[in-house]
Amino acid sequence: MAAQPATVARLTIRELSALGDLEEVYALFDSIWRPDRSNPPVTVEHLRALAHAGNYVAGAYDGDDLIGACVGFFAAPPGRSLHSHVAGVSSAARGRHVGFALKAHQREWALERGLSEITWTFDPLVRRNAYFNLAKLQARTSDYLVDFYGDMDDAINGGQGSDRLLVRWQLDAPEVVAACAAGGGTGAVVPPDAVAALTESASGRPMVAPRSAWARAPRLLVATPPDIEALRGTDPVTARHWRAAMRDVLGGVLGEGARVAGFTRSGTYVVERTDA
């Protein structure tokens, strides 16, 4: 039997409901996002209400130190779905697979309650999150949501809009079961007939290929910048160009019925177009 992710990461993960624990979750998220004080990811009162109503609020601990947390609530359709609203890991704990351990715990929690899927959103420009969600967890994209939360003026989003990909994690899907048992799935392989629709130039800017070159291609490649969060701080103009290009290309083809088949280790979406 494979070791549990929390054991591998040398963590303790537990559900949280006590006020003091929830205040620690608030402080952790505040240190990660550094938001405008008027618009935090969650408030202590919100966490308290969610936990009291039986929703998912959990923390990952290294000894007595909270180093990660995840919050979710029951969603439609009733009795089947959980929406994972926010999750974060301390920068000091990067590389310890805390995020994977939290998602594995959340999956077990959901299965124990008879749920079959967990949904959540992520910024399609954040490469490490795309790889984590689509390769390691083997979640599948559902919708491209334009400016879903409006402007988010924090250290991560930089007030540059909030386009999101909605993903659905089918908890009993064979690829999900295998990924959880193995400690994570692997990145997609680039199909030999795939056509690059969005690439990165030598200067780090997005380059959209002429639409005529990929309009009828059955498989497309859509690149992401190496570190969009850093780019928003050093070159916000180029970061905005990436947002526009991703919205135009990935958002456009998903809106036409295409699907994301996977995400490569090098940071590229592999998209299959059913209408080609």
Side-chain angles (χ1 to χ4, degrees), residues 27-93:
L28 174 67
F29 288 165
D30 187 70
S31 71
I32 295 171
W33 277 275
R34 301 195 299 280
D36 183 295
R37 292 296 177 181
S38 67
N39 190 31
V42 288
T43 65
V44 175
E45 293 83 357
H46 185 202
L47 292 170
R48 181 75 154 176
L50 287 173
H52 184 73
N55 293 283
Y56 183 82
V57 181
Y61 289 84
D62 182 358
D64 294 329
D65 297 327
L66 180 71
I67 58 174
C70 187
V71 179
F73 46 81
F74 293 107
R80 197 182 86 184
S81 185
L82 180 80
H83 185 73
S84 189
H85 174 57
V86 60
V89 175
S90 165
S91 60

Side-chain angles (χ1 to χ4, degrees), residues 151-166:
D151 260 355
M152 302 175 70
D153 192 11
D154 57 37
I156 292 177
N157 295 283
Q160 292 199 353
S162 57
D163 287 17
R164 294 292 183 265
L165 275 178
L166 175 67

